[in-house]
Amino acid sequence: MAERLKEISRNLDPMKNEYVNNKRAAAFADMENETGGNIQSVFWIRYNKAYEMLLAGRTGEAIPEARTLYDAIESGQVKTDPLGERKVRALLPLCYIRLGEQQNCIFNHSSESCILPFSEKGQHVKEEGSRTAVALYTELLDRYPDDYTFRWLLNVASMTLGEYPENVPQRYLIPDSVFESGYPLPAFRDIASARGVDVNARAGGLVLDDLDNDGYVDILCSSWGLTDPIRYFRNTGHGSFIEATREANLSGISGGLNMIHADYDNDGYKDVFVLRGAWLSQGEHPNSLLKNQGDGTFMDVTKSAGLLSFHPTQTACWGDYNNDGWLDLFIGNESSGFGGSHPCELYQNTGEGTFVNVAAECGVNAELYAKGSAWEDYDNDGDIDLYISAVKGFNRLYRNDGPNTEGRWQFTDVAKEAGVREPFESFPVWFFDYDNDGWPDLFVAGYTLRGWNDMAGLTAADYLGVQESLAPSKLYRNNRDGTFEDVSSATGLDRELYTMGCNFGDLDNDGWLDFYLGTGEPDLQAIIPNRMFRNDRGRGFQDVTTAGRFGHLQKGHGIGFADLDNDGDQDIYAVMGGAYEGDVFRNILFENPGNKNHWVTLHLRGTTANWSAIGARVTLHTEGPGGLREIHVTVNTGGSFGSSSLAQEIGVGDATAIEKVEVRWPGGNHESFGILKVDRAYLLKEGTGEALPVRSGKASGP
């Protein structure tokens, strides 16, 4: 696999792949040299060269080129249409914005870097970049007063200098009141640098789980360039880490915009599936199945397992669709209309370490631009159903109809009848029971595609309330009859929540599931905050981005929730960085400051069901000062971009006892466990009816 990836990387065509920016800059430089002539004839070649230099991280080289282009437009030496003129004028201040980010947030990095609102420790020490950008954006706004992108970036640049809001011209000010949180959540602190897990790389995926069965949650993260290494950090206990990439036999296994994990062979060790080729119409790249060998190492078994295929993809999900006790794998491929046919794949697990693609016979071999996928038994009939989101086109909800007369399992797309086809432009997706009624609800994040120079402006307009979202996220509440109700507006989520990576968990152990959204648009102007939303007891969601210090302005991708220091509350790890070669940033680890609520951690182990117990439905019956209560969760890795721990780390609020835990195992077995103490961890093994306390808050061993 390592050699295959190297060969693909060597043969990438820079004129077909917009993300190999050094090669593209060189190609445009060659064109410039070959063309000759006056500035008018080579103007746009020079623009493209300068832009690619910037995208490659060569900001110092891009600035004089951008200045020359700016001056040529300003002096009238070069004439172009209004849109072209605006693009040229926007390049120079963007170069200076990026210079400020590089000099301060990357090379002079701190735990407060690039977090909105800017604290004094997060302000830029080297001011040249932001100060020049402020002057240039002010000039641009005098020319384009209604441009919300320039307005947003002027305000952000002023924040980095500690001169917001007082020094921003009133006519261009985005008032600080729009960033106020809806709930006084305590601040979470980024401790990634202190723990040695602040990988500085591009967009990528994430797995949080106990991969070596020692009782502590480890970190596996990727960066999507085909030669970018996967990094493995082993948790040595109580939140400290050491890198063990080489020791884990992962050297040379590179790339991957997303990863998911599960124990596919039921041997007691969690395996990892790596997805490649996303966003590239010609990205016919192989994925990787990394088998956990149980000795601290992994082996790429993609080919021998029957999973070697070549499609652009970044979404997949594990689930036992036929209830045979072995996890199957759905892969959502990207058919864009430019790179040929790439139907989705459904690999049935044979139980012998291999898989067979049955997508066509099951009716889920859809050809769409798949970006998110999730399994869940939405209709509570005992078998899991499949949802697929698409970045262009209507989404699909495939109801599992079970086996036909010939014994072949069948699925039917019921998205239209169920009322869950939108947003028309979608990305990550998950099922979760946000209102704790025992019926899984559905969240689908919107992802607006409107071309160059959009996201910062759309975000500003959304904050200011002057424009409706072009692709609002959707929260669908389960009606318990096979249909869903769109409650996005009622719950405060009909916003421009431009989302790539995201996941859900419980920030304050109150028993209501919250979520974090990573805003990962490739455009360098998309310096917009990642957003955190707190669940207000199932009645709606409160934006707690600024109160919790979650408003990171760098691009967020793979996100996971897990209790990394075994203290009973969930921390959040996020893979940062953009798509282009120079748009790197350090990953973040937000440490949960704790709260007064209680918790319980449940490790479910299937016997008849799959070992990971993925798909198990868990109901907690708790008792406390607030009375009797039910809390509902499903065992899975959370959202479709980022893979959280399979341990069920459940907040129970003010409960003083857990009277009973009910589990509906995949396959249909129902079982009760109880009574459990709060603030403890337990192992629930199918068929035993007994909840066993485990050490260190985690269950270890196969």
Side-chain angles (χ1 to χ4, degrees), residues 166-181:
E166 55 274 4
N167 286 3
V168 179
Q170 190 65 34
R171 62 191 181 280
Y172 305 138
L173 178 66
I174 298 174
D176 54 1
S177 59
V178 304
F179 302 116
E180 291 178 359
S181 282

Side-chain angles (χ1 to χ4, degrees), residues 110-248:
S110 77
S111 62
E112 293 292 317
S113 293
C114 280
I115 296 177
L116 183 152
F118 278 74
S119 69
E120 186 175 343
K121 292 182 179 179
Q123 292 169 12
H124 289 188
V125 176
K126 295 186 177 181
E127 297 185 353
E128 177 193 2
S130 287
R131 196 158 294 286
T132 307
V134 164
L136 289 168
Y137 281 124
T138 303
E139 288 181 18
L140 284 174
L141 282 164
D142 290 341
R143 182 181 295 271
Y144 307 103
D146 297 326
D147 191 299
Y148 283 101
T149 293
F150 297 155
R151 185 172 178 178
W152 175 265
L153 294 173
L154 170 64
N155 281 262
V156 170
S158 298
M159 291 177 190
T160 69
L161 297 170
E163 297 177 356
Y164 168 91
E166 55 274 4
N167 286 3
V168 179
Q170 190 65 34
R171 62 191 181 280
Y172 305 138
L173 178 66
I174 298 174
D176 54 1
S177 59
V178 304
F179 302 116
E180 291 178 359
S181 282
Y183 182 84
L185 194 75
F188 285 54
R189 187 169 59 97
D190 176 14
I191 61 169
S193 295
R195 296 295 184 265
V197 294
D198 58 332
V199 176
N200 190 34
R202 290 193 280 170
L206 166 70
V207 167
L208 296 182
D209 217 319
D210 181 7
L211 297 175
D212 56 2
N213 285 352
D214 67 349
Y216 301 100
V217 174
D218 309 303
I219 298 173
L220 189 72
C221 54
S222 67
S223 178
W224 85 312
L226 278 175
T227 59
D228 295 347
I230 285 177
R231 307 280 293 276
Y232 174 44
F233 295 93
R234 188 169 63 82
N235 193 330
T236 61
H238 305 293
S240 59
F241 297 85
I242 59 171
E243 182 166 3
T245 304
R246 180 177 297 178
E247 294 81 354

Side-chain angles (χ1 to χ4, degrees), residues 622-639:
T622 70
E623 183 175 0
L628 299 176
R629 180 183 173 194
E630 291 184 6
I631 299 172
H632 299 269
V633 296
T634 300
V635 178
N636 55 40
T637 57

